[in-house]
Amino acid sequence: MISRQTPETIQAALARGTVLLAKSSDSPRLDAQLLLAHVLGKEPSWLVAHAESYLARMQAERFTGLLAKRAAGTPVAHAIGMWSFYGRSFEVNESVLVPRPETEHLVEAAVAYLGRRLEAHAFTKHLFTLLDVGVGSGAIACSIAAEFPTVVVDGTDVSEDAVKVAERNARRFNVHGRCKFIVGDLTQPVSHKQYDAVIANLPYVPSADVAALRGSDPDVALDGGPDGLDHYRRLLPALPPVLKADYLVLLEAAPPTIRTLAELVHDALPDATVAIERDYGGRERYVAASRERAATR
Ligand code: GLN
């Protein structure tokens, strides 16, 4: 007689995972859900609706393997090599910052802005251009390219490995024809071009705090110098030459530094309207600067 393990339901597997991760994670149930959803190729919400369904043995084994990784301290994103951002699943690895929900606000703001501008140009063949400085996984660049078929995006990053991840994500969402990712510092590789919008989520964690951050993000994606604004201080003087006459600039930073950043933006772009915007947690998270020429009569 062939001995078989008793099949496990989704509900039972999640209960087992939650117990196993209780010591190593602050969110054991959510982590177990994300890991199991990945194994099954479904959204986490699907699990809730199928709690009584049975797992195949291979699925239960893969889940057990991922639980072991997570229990050993590997973040969920790195255990599964994927992370969800603005409704899409991005490939991530140790060379890129795992995209954070606060950055979705910048994407939302850019989508609203580009949507307005595209509507105003509905009958022209105008292509809108966007630059993502410090493109990382390509989360911002690919999300915006995927929303608008008439937007072309350039992205730069000092990390060659990050650029490779961003390129794979662009192919994943079938936007690689309109996304160009280049290895280089800030705007340096594209200093001869002009853009309708520039977005940057540069490393902004004060150097002294980098070591204390948990997770596996690379230091190069986090370290922003003594007060966290070093990269923005270098970026801002380089912005005017890469901006069109009408533009939007969105820069994410740490809440305690956002007012200083807004002042730096104001000095660098004296014609712009500058605003500080909040994230989902209500914290001041990014600076928006825009300029619109008065309509000609
Ligand atoms: N938001 C990230 C964190 O606090 C930092 C992102 C960044 O430095 N750009 O971990």
Side-chain angles (χ1 to χ4, degrees):
M1 201 175 95
I2 306 164
S3 85
R4 302 187 65 198
Q5 271 180 302
T6 327
E8 190 178 34
T9 61
I10 284 179
Q11 187 170 267
L14 286 177
R16 166 166 74 91
T18 306
V19 171
L20 204 100
L21 298 182
K23 280 209 194 85
S24 49
S25 170
D26 296 335
S27 51
R29 181 148 186 98
L30 176 65
D31 289 8
Q33 282 171 335
L34 291 169
L35 295 174
L36 187 55
H38 176 75
V39 167
L40 300 179
K42 305 282 186 197
E43 292 299 317
S45 55
W46 187 91
L47 304 178
V48 181
H50 296 81
E52 305 299 330
S53 301
Y54 286 97
L55 296 179
R57 207 182 67 198
M58 285 293 289
Q59 292 171 329
E61 280 171 10
R62 276 194 67 202
F63 179 53
T64 303
L66 292 176
L67 286 173
K69 274 196 187 176
R70 179 71 192 104
T74 307
V76 173
H78 291 110
I80 63 182
M82 302 296 298
W83 201 242
S84 175
F85 180 82
Y86 204 74
R88 294 181 181 85
S89 261
F90 283 79
E91 177 193 328
V92 295
N93 64 25
E94 280 71 16
S95 344
V96 297
L97 180 89
V98 173
R100 309 288 209 270
E102 52 266 30
T103 306
E104 293 179 347
H105 283 272
L106 282 80
V107 172
E108 242 169 53
V111 164
Y113 173 82
L114 290 168
R116 263 198 325 272
R117 300 251 341 242
L118 285 164
E119 206 170 297
H121 286 79
F123 300 107
T124 68
K125 288 251 184 305
H126 193 82
L127 275 185
F128 278 81
T129 55
L130 179 132
L131 173 64
D132 181 351
V133 187
V135 71
S137 66
I140 296 173
C142 297
S143 298
I144 295 172
E147 295 294 319
F148 299 109
T150 54
V151 172
V152 290
V153 184
D154 287 344
T156 64
D157 205 293
V158 287
S159 159
E160 199 178 333
D161 289 336
V163 162
K164 285 185 191 149
V165 175
E167 282 169 349
R168 285 200 292 276
N169 278 319
R171 270 195 291 278
R172 194 179 163 79
F173 303 117
N174 205 21
V175 294
H176 52 289
R178 290 181 290 110
C179 288
K180 198 167 145 214
F181 302 136
I182 314 148
V183 180
D185 187 36
L186 303 176
T187 62
Q188 190 264 321
V190 294
S191 54
H192 55 291
K193 295 176 78 173
Q194 275 86 43
Y195 297 91
D196 294 289
V198 176
I199 305 194
N201 174 19
L202 295 176
Y204 60 66
V205 177
S207 302
D209 301 342
V210 170
L213 277 186
R214 290 205 293 153
S216 311
D217 297 296
D219 284 0
V220 66
L222 295 172
D223 194 340
D227 71 346
L229 293 178
D230 271 12
H231 297 291
Y232 287 115
R233 284 197 185 86
R234 293 192 304 118
L235 171 68
L236 284 165
L239 279 186
V242 298
L243 293 170
K244 290 189 184 173
D246 285 357
Y247 62 78
L248 174 71
V249 172
L250 302 174
L251 309 175
E252 180 179 325
T257 63
I258 213 81
R259 280 160 193 263
T260 309
L261 179 60
E263 282 166 25
L264 294 170
V265 171
H266 187 72
D267 293 346
L269 304 171
D271 294 343
T273 306
V274 179
I276 292 173
E277 305 289 346
R278 290 172 189 273
D279 64 20
Y280 295 114
R283 289 160 304 208
E284 296 180 331
R285 181 61 75 171
Y286 69 96
V287 174
S290 61
R291 180 168 187 269
E292 286 180 46
R293 277 168 307 179
T296 42
R297 287 166 196 272

